[in-house]
Each structure stands twice: as C-alpha cells, then as structure tokens.
Amino acid sequence: MDTLINTGIAGLDEIFLGGIPRHNNLIVEGPPGSGKTTLGLGFIHAGAAQYGEPGVIVSFELDSAKLLRDAAGFDWDLQAQIDKGMVKIIQTSPAVLLSEFRNGDGAFADALRSMGAKRLLIDGLTPMRLYAEVHDMPFREDVHLLIEGLNRLGVTTLVTAERDESMAAPAHERFVFDTIIELTRAEHKRRVERRLTVTKSRGQDFIGGSHTMRIEAHQGVHVYRRAHSRPKAINDQPTSDQRISTGVPAIDVLMDGGLYEGSVTMVSGISGTGKTVLSVQFLTAAVSQGRKTLLVTLDEHPRQLIRNAASLGFDLEGMIARGELFLLYESPLELDLDVHFHSVTSLAEREGIDCIVFDSVAVYELSSRSEVADYLYALATYCKNRLATVFFNYESPELLGVSQISEELKGSHLVDNIILLSYVEISTVLRRAIAIPKVRGSRIQQVTREYIIAAGGVALLDEDTSPTATANAVPQLPFSAYSSLLSRSPTRQSPAIDVAVAQGEALPPSVELPVEDAP
C-alpha cells in the first residue's frame, strides 16, 4: 500500500514527487476540452506499455472506435495492447456499473480479476450524477458505493468528472476520493492555456500550485512544473572563488578580476548600447576556457544574431557546429514561462552548460508581468545551484542608472553584479558610457568609462593621464559645490571653462572623439 506507482504522464510524477500511492482513487476534474480523457488514456496506456500493468477503460459516452482513434493520434497503439490482453475497453451505462459494484462478485469484477488489472479509468463521473438526478436517487450514496467497490477491486483508479462551478458547496466526491487533480482551460492573449493543479493527495506530499499542461503530438498530456516552485529538499548553495572573464579585460579590471563562477550579472541599457555584443564576448571567452555555453535569444532570430556577430568577427556558427555554444530561440508571441524553464533546464543538464546568457529578460515581462519577479528568481536559483555563470540582459527605459528594473520587478537584489551601459550626449554627439555599481564580494572601481563597439566587440577607451589632461580635468568637489543631487543629474561647470570665459581667454581644446568601425 505504501509503494508509489508511476502515472506515465510526462511531468506529472515530478509533481507527485515520484508517483502516486498504489490503490489510491484519483478524480480528475475540469471543463470540456481541458484534457481529462486524454490524461486518463495516457494513464492506462503507460501502465500497459511501460510498466506491465494491465488496465481497464470504462466509457459511458465514447465508443471503443473513437477511443482507439483518439489514442492513435498520440501514437498509442491501444489495439495492440488489447490484443495482448493488457487493456480492455468496456462500454456500459451508469446503471449497469453501479449494479455491478453492489455485487462484489459480478461480471465486472470478474473481468478485472481475470486479466490481473492494476489500473482502471472510469470516464466519467458526470453521467453517473445525471443518472442519479434523473431517477431521483441520492448521488452521495452512489459515490460511496463506487468508492467501496473500487477499494474491493484493489486497483489504482482514475475517474474523470466535469467541474460544476454552479454548486454553492464543494461536490461530495471531493471528500471521498484520495487524490484530486483540477484541470483548467482558458484563453490568454488569444491563445489557449491549460493548467493542472493537485489540490489533495492522501498519503504523500506533492508540489502545489498551478502548473502548465499541454496536449502534445506523439505524447499526449505533458505537465510542466511551475518554474518558481521551491524545491522540497533545501541543499547548501555551491559557491566558488574562481573568476571568469567578461570577455573584456578592461571590464574585468573594473570588477576586481572578473565574474565569480556561479554569479548572476544584470547587463542593463537602452537599445543599441551593446548588451548582446558584450554577451557574445562573454560566451566566446568562456568557450576559450573550455566551457559549454548557452545563448537564450528571445529578441533576435538565431540567423540574424549569427550574421550580426560575424560582422564583428565572432564565429558563432563554428562554435555551434563544434558543440561549444547552444542557441535556444523561442518566439515571444507563444512563450510560456513553465515550458520555457523546462526547455532551458533540460538543455543545460543534458549538455553540461557552464555559462548562460538570457537576451533579453524583458520578454518575460511581456509574457506574464505578474510572475516575472518569481520567474527570474527561479532562474537565478537554478543556475546558482548548478554553479553556472549567467548574464541577464535587460533593456532599461532609462538613459542614466537603474532606480528599479521594472514596475513589477523591483530593485536589483536578484543579481550579484550590475553592468550599466548607456548613452551620454556631449554637445550633439552621443557617446557610450559604462558603469559598474555593484559586484558582490569585490572591490570595484566606482568610475564611468567610455567605450566603443568595433571589430572584436566592446572596447573601453584609455583615459588620457597626461599633465595637460589632468590640469583640465574636472576636480572632485564636496556636495556643496553641486545642485540637483537628488535628481541624479548634479550640475556644475568646469573651473577651467569658467576662468577662460571670465578672462576672455580661449577655451581649453576639445578631446578628439574616437570613430567607431562600421559593423
């Protein structure tokens, strides 16, 4: 009685932390089209085909031919299992089935015992409720009769039922079944979304909450655990003293030696500041150190990304061909966070990924604004537990600094490091500036540096340290010498310019601006 059995439904056993207790009676509730019958057929087919457990399907409404047709649509050859004596389909009525349960030695029980049935699907409970209502019979007694009969049969039973939202009180069967699975089907941004929730399962723990469910070709029901569910076993998070290069030596110096292995870095800046270019440099440097890398691209199609990188001298196509770099692209229009999380984690574990770039996490906001903070926390936690080094690229709407990452995603506490890329307007010319306000566990240089994007990617410009440049440099003065400090745009003119204007002298010469190479 204490042993767990696998349902055979992809992802569902993970929700049940390994499976369901043998002989439990499950009820699967949901509206039409939510996948109840498909889940039940998958439960029976997996038992027969994968685990050697014979099963019986009881249908009140669908005939055998339609059930076989529906199963064949998922590459389930139920007819072959029927021919082997592993599956049996019984089409009957609620009245006949209830009368069979009143007699423990009836033909129905004999049929199950003769084939050694371990699993039973009754599709569904709603026709039995309607039968009781039409004949003015107490349905509660029928439910108890059903449960007692199932317990005598010694099988693990899955019963489907239409969810009756009109009832003021919970349906009585929710109290007597051991396990309750709720399915929902709704439209979100004009696409269908299915969800699965386990609300009760006697004799075991499980992962609660709403999980994404899909009905997929060649597989049937696939359940994707909600990405931000907390692990049941809390282990110590691994840490490392080893540093990894950002791919730009000058940035490594600003960060006191580079990135800690297993850290998460937020690269924030408006469009065109070079977030993707810096990410490609980071991954290229990681590959040169023998690491496996992954670029999750949500803004650009891989072909366009490869072309643009090649214009700066990066051979992404060669890295992909050699198995050093993996590209995962998903259209923002069809992005589901739970499914996407499964795709990322499965690829990372299968290929042993060490370094990951998410470009850009702003797309997750578009998919689900209310869940993005929890989702990014889940991504960061997963990567840290793997000691994977991560870039989160984010397109900030602000030109200077980050007061908050977004309206829903408050603050920067999710990440270990922050790299700000921005534009600076001097006269009528836009120049690029980089600042690194946060690097956990490091002594960083709190300076703003100018950079360009040319062949080879991002390159920081050397500061002129000659005596003339130093003399004309703006000195660092106390706060009392500035105005508008709290606006984050403190104002003060250069003394060198003030003196020149006051005495009618020529202004100090302008610094010659660098010219960026055309990509």
Side-chain angles (χ1 to χ4, degrees):
M1 291 290 292
D2 295 332
T3 59
L4 296 179
I5 67 169
N6 296 113
T7 64
I9 306 299
L12 185 56
D13 291 325
E14 182 182 358
I15 306 302
F16 283 114
L17 305 180
I20 57 175
R22 187 175 296 280
H23 301 158
N24 261 21
N25 298 315
L26 295 78
I27 184 169
V28 179
E29 301 178 322
S34 58
K36 300 183 299 298
T37 301
T38 303
L39 191 150
L41 288 176
F43 171 69
I44 295 296
H45 177 265
Q50 299 178 32
Y51 306 113
E53 295 191 351
V56 173
I57 301 171
V58 176
S59 176
F60 299 131
E61 297 175 320
L62 291 178
D63 58 33
S64 300
K66 289 184 178 179
L67 289 173
L68 293 174
R69 178 203 64 191
D70 294 345
F74 303 111
D75 296 338
W76 300 336
D77 193 351
L78 274 185
Q79 185 60 58
Q81 299 298 330
I82 292 173
D83 296 340
K84 295 177 184 178
M86 294 295 291
V87 172
K88 186 179 184 64
I89 299 177
I90 300 176
Q91 188 171 9
T92 185
S93 67
V96 172
L97 183 65
L98 289 173
S99 65
E100 286 289 330
F101 278 126
R102 291 187 178 94
N103 182 5
D105 297 324
F108 181 75
D110 289 341
L112 268 64
R113 293 192 185 102
S114 64
M115 68 180 297
K118 300 294 184 182
R119 302 189 180 201
L120 173 63
L121 166 64
I122 300 178
D123 187 36
L125 193 66
T126 303
M128 298 178 67
R129 181 194 298 276
L130 296 175
Y131 170 80
E133 291 175 355
V134 169
H135 293 83
D136 198 22
M137 300 169 61
F139 182 63
R140 174 175 295 200
E141 294 181 8
D142 289 341
V143 170
H144 281 283
L145 178 64
L146 175 65
I147 295 298
E148 290 172 2
L150 294 175
N151 291 337
R152 287 196 304 270
L153 291 172
V155 293
T156 306
T157 305
L158 189 152
V159 179
T160 66
E162 298 288 339
R163 183 71 183 273
D164 190 352
E165 301 290 353
S166 63
M167 297 181 62
H172 180 66
E173 56 266 23
R174 297 174 65 85
F175 297 99
V176 297
F177 275 86
D178 302 306
T179 302
I180 301 175
I181 299 175
E182 296 180 3
L183 307 184
T184 60
R185 182 183 185 277
E187 281 196 9
H188 176 68
K189 294 183 178 179
R190 296 196 293 178
R191 69 172 185 263
V192 173
E193 285 190 349
R194 292 182 172 89
R195 301 281 179 177
L196 179 147
T197 304
V198 179
T199 60
K200 163 188 171 183
S201 193
R202 289 191 182 115
Q204 67 175 144
D205 197 4
F206 55 87
I207 301 176
S210 174
H211 310 277
T212 296
M213 189 187 97
R214 285 189 171 181
I215 299 178
E216 299 176 350
H218 314 297
Q219 187 170 45
V221 169
H222 191 153
V223 183
Y224 296 88
R225 175 177 63 86
R226 61 185 179 91
H228 41 278
S229 61
R230 299 191 58 161
K232 294 295 179 179
I234 304 297
N235 299 317
D236 289 338
Q237 179 179 284
T239 56
S240 172
D241 293 329
Q242 183 175 350
R243 297 273 189 168
I244 298 178
S245 175
T246 61
V248 184
I251 295 180
D252 294 341
V253 172
L254 295 179
M255 301 184 74
D256 196 25
L259 310 165
Y260 276 120
E261 185 181 41
S263 65
V264 178
T265 302
M266 177 71 75
V267 181
S268 179
I270 65 172
S271 179
T273 50
K275 299 181 295 297
T276 304
V277 175
L278 180 59
S279 298
V280 169
Q281 286 177 263
F282 163 63
L283 294 178
T284 302
V287 166
S288 69
Q289 298 172 358
R291 299 178 182 274
K292 289 286 190 73
T293 61
L294 169 62
L295 175 53
V296 180
T297 173
L298 304 169
D299 287 333
E300 284 189 271
H301 190 276
R303 299 312 308 173
Q304 179 175 312
L305 186 64
I306 291 171
R307 179 203 65 192
N308 295 345
S311 70
L312 295 174
F314 297 104
D315 182 19
L316 297 189
E317 205 155 29
M319 293 164 62
I320 294 171
R322 293 188 296 270
E324 301 165 339
L325 170 68
F326 295 87
L327 280 183
L328 177 62
Y329 171 75
E330 291 199 47
S331 169
L333 297 177
E334 296 294 333
L335 187 67
D336 184 287
L337 295 183
D338 293 341
V339 179
H340 179 69
F341 186 87
H342 178 268
S343 299
V344 172
T345 56
S346 298
L347 180 57
E349 291 168 9
R350 184 174 66 250
E351 301 297 339
I353 301 296
D354 299 308
C355 298
I356 308 175
V357 168
F358 295 89
D359 186 35
S360 140
V361 296
V363 172
Y364 298 141
E365 266 190 298
L366 299 176
S367 177
S368 179
R369 298 178 69 86
S370 62
E371 298 180 19
V372 63
D374 289 343
Y375 182 74
L376 286 186
Y377 183 85
L379 272 180
T381 301
Y382 171 81
C383 293
K384 283 177 173 291
N385 286 338
R386 283 187 52 82
L387 211 60
T389 310
V390 176
F391 269 25
F392 283 163
N393 290 347
Y394 184 81
E395 186 167 329
S396 170
E398 301 184 28
L399 284 174
L400 296 172
V402 173
S403 57
Q404 63 182 45
I405 295 176
S406 73
E407 184 179 350
E408 283 72 26
L409 187 54
K410 307 292 183 182
S412 58
H413 62 281
L414 289 172
V415 298
D416 303 297
N417 318 308
I418 297 178
I419 298 176
L420 299 180
L421 305 178
S422 60
Y423 287 116
V424 177
E425 184 182 18
I426 299 179
S427 183
T428 58
V429 179
L430 284 180
R431 296 159 69 176
R432 292 186 173 96
I434 181 172
I436 303 174
K438 174 183 179 181
V439 179
R440 281 179 177 152
S442 303
R443 294 182 177 88
I444 59 175
Q445 298 183 26
Q446 296 281 11
V447 295
T448 300
R449 294 280 300 275
E450 185 173 4
Y451 69 96
I452 61 173
I453 298 176
V458 170
L460 272 61
L461 300 182
D462 293 330
E463 292 287 342
D464 186 355
T465 58
S466 65
T468 303
T470 303
N472 290 329
V474 177
Q476 296 295 309
L477 299 180
F479 278 2
S480 59
Y482 297 85
S483 63
S484 306
L485 286 171
L486 293 182
S487 69
R488 295 188 297 123
S489 299
T491 302
R492 190 182 69 81
Q493 288 184 321
S494 167
I497 296 177
D498 291 342
V499 171
V501 172
Q503 297 180 0
E505 299 175 353
L507 296 179
S510 299
V511 177
E512 185 176 350
L513 298 180
V515 179
E516 295 188 1
D517 295 340

